[in-house]
Amino acid sequence: MNEPVRILSDLHLGHKISRISQVSALRPLIAGAGTVIFNGDTWQELAAPFRQRARQMLDELQWLCAEEAADAIFLPGNHDPSWPGQGWIELANGRIVISHGDSLLFDGSPWKREILGNREKILEIWRQFPDAAHDPAQRHELARLIARELCSVEHSAGRHLIQRAWDAAFPPTRALHMLASWLHHGRHGAEFLKNYFPQAEVLVTGHFHQRGCWQHRRKLIINTGTFMDPGRAQWVEWQKGLLSRGNIIEGPQACALGETLDLWRIG
């Protein structure tokens, strides 16, 4: 894999509340990278109202990566589960694992209305993957099936923060599940590594729309956030044995890689 390896997630191309209105704005985030890993929810594959525009933007993104001579790797997320491949990537001889994040939770996205109250459907899907509790390939396939079988049938009513807050707060259990996933993200990530990648030291995820990093049981969990309000996005990069992360500075015409916040030597 060509270095530097840059990791982005949760672009949500085509969604009406994604802050990416022009794919060209992403060029500075891709320029200079040898490989860009798009860690899930890159485009709105399952959302019929956004799919056509999202597909056009995805094509533009692939062309942009080619123009910048950056290899593009797309991992599946719960909004775009059909990407081929195993669903995760390992770097640094397995010390770093990159996975979207819906495989961390039993039901993928417990805050979704389509999942709330559908526990029997979730259990039915789990029964189809008898080795998913310890086999990462089955665990990721299970997450893809949950995403397809229980995809969103309703979408946010508007772009304004008040509308977004109301959407998140109703029903009340939806907001509670969101808060719980944020509070326990580090623990869930460490347990995921223990179960599926015990040799790994670092997990890089998206999915939860909560940028940041956490240390739990000697594991480092990094979340690159999102380009969808109210979350904010970060970049992660791997080069020459060093893992770094920083905020993404978003502008109306172009995004930029912000200053490095953290730097770790892995291995």
Side-chain angles (χ1 to χ4, degrees), residues 160-183:
H160 298 297
L161 183 59
I162 293 176
Q163 293 171 309
R164 294 280 292 149
W166 175 258
D167 179 65
F170 185 80
T173 49
R174 176 169 155 83
L176 292 175
H177 281 295
M178 286 182 183
L179 290 172
S181 71
W182 293 340
L183 288 171

Side-chain angles (χ1 to χ4, degrees), residues 42-223:
T42 304
W43 72 296
Q44 298 299 130
E45 172 195 339
L46 300 179
F50 311 131
R51 190 180 299 127
Q52 182 176 359
R53 174 60 178 150
R55 179 74 247 188
Q56 293 172 349
M57 296 181 78
L58 178 62
D59 289 342
E60 292 175 24
L61 178 62
Q62 292 173 311
W63 295 334
L64 180 57
C65 290
E67 288 176 356
E68 291 295 332
D71 296 332
I73 297 176
F74 296 89
L75 293 179
N78 55 301
H79 288 272
D80 52 359
S82 294
W83 291 106
Q86 61 187 7
W88 75 91
I89 285 179
E90 297 176 64
L91 301 176
N93 295 318
R95 292 185 177 91
I96 301 170
V97 174
I98 304 162
S99 178
H100 177 62
D102 48 338
S103 293
L104 272 62
L105 302 180
F106 178 81
D107 38 10
S109 306
W111 51 83
K112 287 180 59 175
R113 293 186 179 86
E114 293 76 15
I115 287 177
L116 290 169
N118 266 314
R119 184 171 178 81
E120 186 53 44
K121 180 64 176 178
I122 299 295
L123 292 172
E124 176 189 326
I125 292 173
W126 268 88
R127 286 191 286 268
Q128 297 178 43
F129 298 90
D131 296 324
H134 56 83
D135 181 346
Q138 284 208 12
R139 184 66 189 88
H140 281 82
E141 285 305 310
L142 187 157
R144 293 192 214 219
L145 187 56
I146 289 176
R148 293 190 187 99
E149 294 288 320
L150 294 163
C151 64
S152 298
V153 296
E154 295 181 4
H155 302 279
S156 304
R159 298 182 63 96
H160 298 297
L161 183 59
I162 293 176
Q163 293 171 309
R164 294 280 292 149
W166 175 258
D167 179 65
F170 185 80
T173 49
R174 176 169 155 83
L176 292 175
H177 281 295
M178 286 182 183
L179 290 172
S181 71
W182 293 340
L183 288 171
H184 301 296
H185 185 33
R187 177 172 64 82
H188 290 311
E191 290 175 351
F192 176 80
L193 290 183
K194 177 183 176 182
N195 290 338
Y196 300 104
F197 304 96
Q199 79 287 356
E201 303 167 20
V202 182
L203 174 67
V204 182
T205 72
H207 185 55
F208 298 92
H209 290 196
Q210 181 194 26
R211 67 180 182 181
C213 65
W214 301 263
Q215 288 274 359
H216 190 85
R217 295 182 181 177
R218 300 182 180 179
K219 305 293 186 181
L220 174 63
I221 314 302
I222 303 173
N223 191 295

